[in-house]
Amino acid sequence: MLTAQSITKTFGGNRAVDEVSFTIKKGTITGLIGPNGAGKTTLFNCLAGLFPPTSGSLSLEGERIDGLSPDRIFAKGLARTFQIPRPFPEMTVLENVMVAPLHQRGERFWANWLTPGRVAAEERTLAAAARHWIDFVGLSHLADQPARVLSGGQRKLLELARVLVAKPRLILLDEPGAGVNPVLLDAIVDRIVSLNRQGVTFLVIEHNMDLVMNLCSPIMVMAQGRLLMAGTAQEVRDDPRVVEAYLGGAPA
Ligand SMILES: Nc1ncnc2c1ncn2[C@@H]1O[C@H](COP(=O)(O)OP(=O)(O)O)[C@@H](O)[C@H]1O
Ligand SMILES: [Mg+2]
């Protein structure tokens, strides 16, 4: 699904991501773990095009995507969610879900002007799709409420609905469990598994080890910008380098 070759991202002299290479197999829920500052979010930002990697190459199902804008990468089927989602607070949940694809169409000025009927029809289709995915993530009772009333966990579900409208093939989730109460966390995990059964591939950054170990296979481990290893939950648990990375290099 995704191949990363020697991805490096530097900030000044800091190699936040350092020569990272991996492949994500289609149909997997791949995990990405590592201590704070390991470079996980920076790697996501490179994959999703928020900033281009300093060096290295990325391909999505054989097609190069490094250097493309986030919009172009999103349009090619790679979506990401943020560690701390920031919906538009005064817009409703429904409007927040509709806004990303609408924005792209708004740029098609002549299409709007020449074929207003078709645009209106597309908007109805989009609203229906948005309601479908809002329902899917369990937020339909809040669809017409402003996003500011949502809890942290509900915002994560809203963000999932927002990217699902675009029917992504690969979704990058940055700490879906952080700050989410256990009931909503179950709902999020359930939705991930359901989407995965429908063919969506996932790459998940998560600190909750029980969650990662149960949900993800394989699991990749990063530390200090580098990819330490990748393997099954058991292999990760049994690898002394992983323990050492989490203990900050202290003798085990
Ligand atoms: N926009 C940025 N500008 C400068 N340094 C950054 C930026 N983003 C991340 N870093 C640095 O990159 C390193 C990796 O950070 P990050 O990718 O957020 O790690 P993680 O998500 O694994 O906790 C850290 O040293 C961090 O300070
Ligand atoms: Mg992070």
Side-chain angles (χ1 to χ4, degrees):
M1 176 60 74
L2 184 81
T3 303
Q5 268 175 336
S6 301
I7 295 297
T8 294
K9 176 66 191 176
T10 60
F11 296 109
N14 178 11
R15 293 173 83 82
V17 174
D18 193 1
E19 301 278 338
V20 168
S21 300
F22 59 89
T23 62
I24 293 174
K25 285 212 182 90
K26 200 171 184 163
T28 60
I29 303 177
T30 299
L32 177 58
I33 66 170
N36 275 327
K40 305 179 298 294
T41 296
T42 302
L43 179 63
F44 265 29
N45 288 337
C46 288
L47 303 181
L50 207 69
F51 36 66
T54 307
S55 60
S57 67
L58 295 168
S59 48
L60 183 67
E61 292 193 297
E63 191 183 353
R64 285 285 289 265
I65 57 164
D66 47 282
L68 299 184
S69 69
D71 282 358
R72 295 279 304 280
I73 292 176
F74 186 61
K76 287 187 185 295
L78 193 163
R80 67 85 59 85
T81 65
F82 285 90
Q83 198 168 339
I84 302 168
R86 292 195 174 80
F88 296 107
E90 297 307 326
M91 287 169 60
T92 66
V93 166
L94 179 66
E95 287 164 349
N96 266 282
V97 174
M98 288 176 70
V99 77
L102 260 185
H103 172 68
Q104 284 164 17
R105 190 172 36 239
E107 288 163 5
R108 279 167 43 198
F109 173 80
W110 291 107
N112 274 301
W113 194 67
L114 294 169
T115 57
R118 201 183 74 203
V119 171
E122 275 179 21
E123 197 165 318
R124 279 194 299 276
T125 307
L126 176 58
R131 286 203 184 268
H132 168 80
W133 291 116
I134 288 168
D135 191 36
F136 176 79
V137 300
L139 292 180
S140 40
H141 60 300
L142 295 165
D144 300 312
Q145 295 290 313
R148 66 180 147 76
V149 309
L150 301 188
S151 70
Q154 289 169 333
R155 281 168 201 227
K156 300 223 170 198
L157 287 163
L158 165 58
E159 211 176 34
L160 189 57
R162 204 176 54 75
V163 302
L164 288 172
V165 170
K167 298 197 174 79
R169 292 175 283 166
L170 171 62
I171 302 180
L172 315 180
L173 299 174
D174 199 348
E175 301 198 25
V180 176
N181 76 52
V183 174
L184 271 189
L185 186 55
D186 281 349
I188 292 173
V189 167
D190 188 69
R191 300 299 79 181
I192 295 171
V193 170
S194 162
L195 288 163
N196 181 246
R197 292 211 181 101
Q198 294 169 42
V200 181
T201 304
F202 284 89
L203 175 62
V204 183
I205 297 177
E206 183 52 54
H207 282 300
N208 179 332
M209 284 300 164
D210 284 340
L211 178 61
V212 171
M213 300 283 172
N214 288 322
L215 185 66
C216 302
S217 185
I219 297 164
M220 307 194 289
V221 187
M222 279 184 80
Q224 298 179 337
R226 293 188 156 264
L227 192 63
L228 266 189
M229 62 144 335
T232 62
Q234 192 64 49
E235 285 163 350
V236 167
R237 257 191 231 109
D238 291 346
D239 194 314
R241 291 171 300 175
V242 177
V243 179
E244 199 183 338
Y246 275 93
L247 295 177

